[in-house]
Amino acid sequence: MSQSQPPPRTGTVYLVGSGPGAIDLLTVRATRLIGEADAVVYDHLIAEGVLGLARADALKIYAGKETSKHSMPQGELNLLLVRLAREGKKVVRLKGGDPFIFGRGGEEIEILFEFGIPFEVVPGVTAAAGCAAYAGIPLTHRDHAQAVVFVTGHLRDGTVNLDWPALARPNQTVVFYMGIGGIGEICRQMITHGLPATQPAAVVQNGTSSRQRVITADLSTLPSRVTEAGISSPALIIVGTVVSLQKKLAWFGARVSSGGQEVRD
Ligand code: SAH
């Protein structure tokens, strides 16, 4: 008589932040878990080369772009994670940046909790931290900003519904994620709610990668500068007087000569 196989022990799902773009900004913990995973379920904003760290025999499943029609519906994706874990697999759910900052990480693990699937969360370098560091824009600075706000600039029905009076306060830095499509409206609202038109503001595209581009201007000129430069997603908007430090502090992609002049490679 053949003995029936015992059901596999439920695997764990690791919700892992992969950082903003540069592969060496992965945490040591993320690198180890990706290398050990039986299945890696990944999003579109994953640093190049990260999947190469997974085992050759690991399942690699693209969950797609959240805003695109070709993405896996969120419900289907949640059930996929549950199914893989129930098969006993060690699952890495890989997210760009940090999973708990505009990454819907909370929603995904709520479902795992409901299904009784064990999970762990591995933080990553969020785009604001990565872009600010690689652009040379400190997000706080004793002379400039005592607070920093991360906010979504995603447009709903063509408008950005945000607490503008709070965002337009002085002495803080505001970082808009997903705001590039609404940059005109964002800059206009910041001025309407009290910031000077000359308030320094920047856009960082593909931050931390070799394709990083940084545009610095002010609230009145940033939208047209961004259009002229053909900047598209992924990009962050940073508003605050800390942006004025970028001229001195930019280091990535530039060698600074002893005279303080920037030399591009
Ligand atoms: N969880 C992610 C954010 C996901 S929302 C994190 O913590 O970073 C996606 C938005 O993040 C993009 O629209 C863009 O505004 C920003 N973003 C992500 N990676 C970026 C990068 N390398 N450079 C600039 N912006 C980036």
Side-chain angles (χ1 to χ4, degrees), residues 126-183:
T126 191
C131 292
Y134 277 58
I137 302 172
L139 293 177
T140 66
H141 186 292
R142 283 190 294 169
D143 298 337
H144 293 271
Q146 282 67 49
V148 56
V149 181
F150 296 169
V151 61
T152 170
H154 188 63
L155 289 172
R156 227 174 235 192
D157 311 325
T159 56
V160 191
N161 259 335
L162 294 169
D163 183 354
W164 295 110
L167 296 178
R169 281 191 198 125
N171 304 112
Q172 69 181 6
T173 305
V174 184
V175 183
F176 292 90
Y177 286 68
M178 296 172 277
I180 210 70
I183 189 166

Side-chain angles (χ1 to χ4, degrees), residues 20-21 45 96-98 101-103 125-127 131 176-179 204-207 233-236:
L45 280 180
D98 180 272
I101 297 185
F102 304 124
V125 175
T126 191
C131 292
F176 292 90
Y177 286 68
M178 296 172 277
V204 183
Q205 181 187 23
N206 292 316
S233 187
L236 284 184

Side-chain angles (χ1 to χ4, degrees), residues 62-224:
Y62 179 58
K65 204 168 175 174
E66 276 158 2
T67 51
S68 125
K69 289 194 195 96
H70 307 294
S71 65
M72 196 180 280
Q74 190 72 40
E76 205 177 296
L77 169 65
N78 294 338
L79 293 179
L80 170 73
L81 297 176
V82 171
R83 179 169 61 74
L84 292 169
R86 286 203 169 143
E87 288 167 7
K89 292 190 168 60
K90 184 167 192 167
V91 183
V92 164
R93 171 71 180 107
L94 205 52
K95 297 258 178 197
D98 180 272
F100 276 4
I101 297 185
F102 304 124
R104 301 193 185 181
E107 295 164 43
E108 289 183 17
I109 58 177
E110 265 174 19
I111 304 288
L112 298 175
F113 172 80
E114 280 162 27
F115 279 85
I117 307 289
F119 59 83
E120 291 184 17
V121 183
V122 181
V125 175
T126 191
C131 292
Y134 277 58
I137 302 172
L139 293 177
T140 66
H141 186 292
R142 283 190 294 169
D143 298 337
H144 293 271
Q146 282 67 49
V148 56
V149 181
F150 296 169
V151 61
T152 170
H154 188 63
L155 289 172
R156 227 174 235 192
D157 311 325
T159 56
V160 191
N161 259 335
L162 294 169
D163 183 354
W164 295 110
L167 296 178
R169 281 191 198 125
N171 304 112
Q172 69 181 6
T173 305
V174 184
V175 183
F176 292 90
Y177 286 68
M178 296 172 277
I180 210 70
I183 189 166
E185 166 88 351
I186 287 171
C187 291
R188 220 176 6 259
Q189 293 279 13
M190 294 294 263
I191 296 171
T192 304
H193 288 86
L195 286 180
T198 52
Q199 178 82 348
V203 162
V204 183
Q205 181 187 23
N206 292 316
T208 78
S209 79
S210 56
R211 289 165 294 127
Q212 170 171 299
R213 289 170 79 197
V214 182
I215 307 276
T216 57
D218 62 32
L219 282 176
S220 65
T221 52
L222 191 64
S224 56

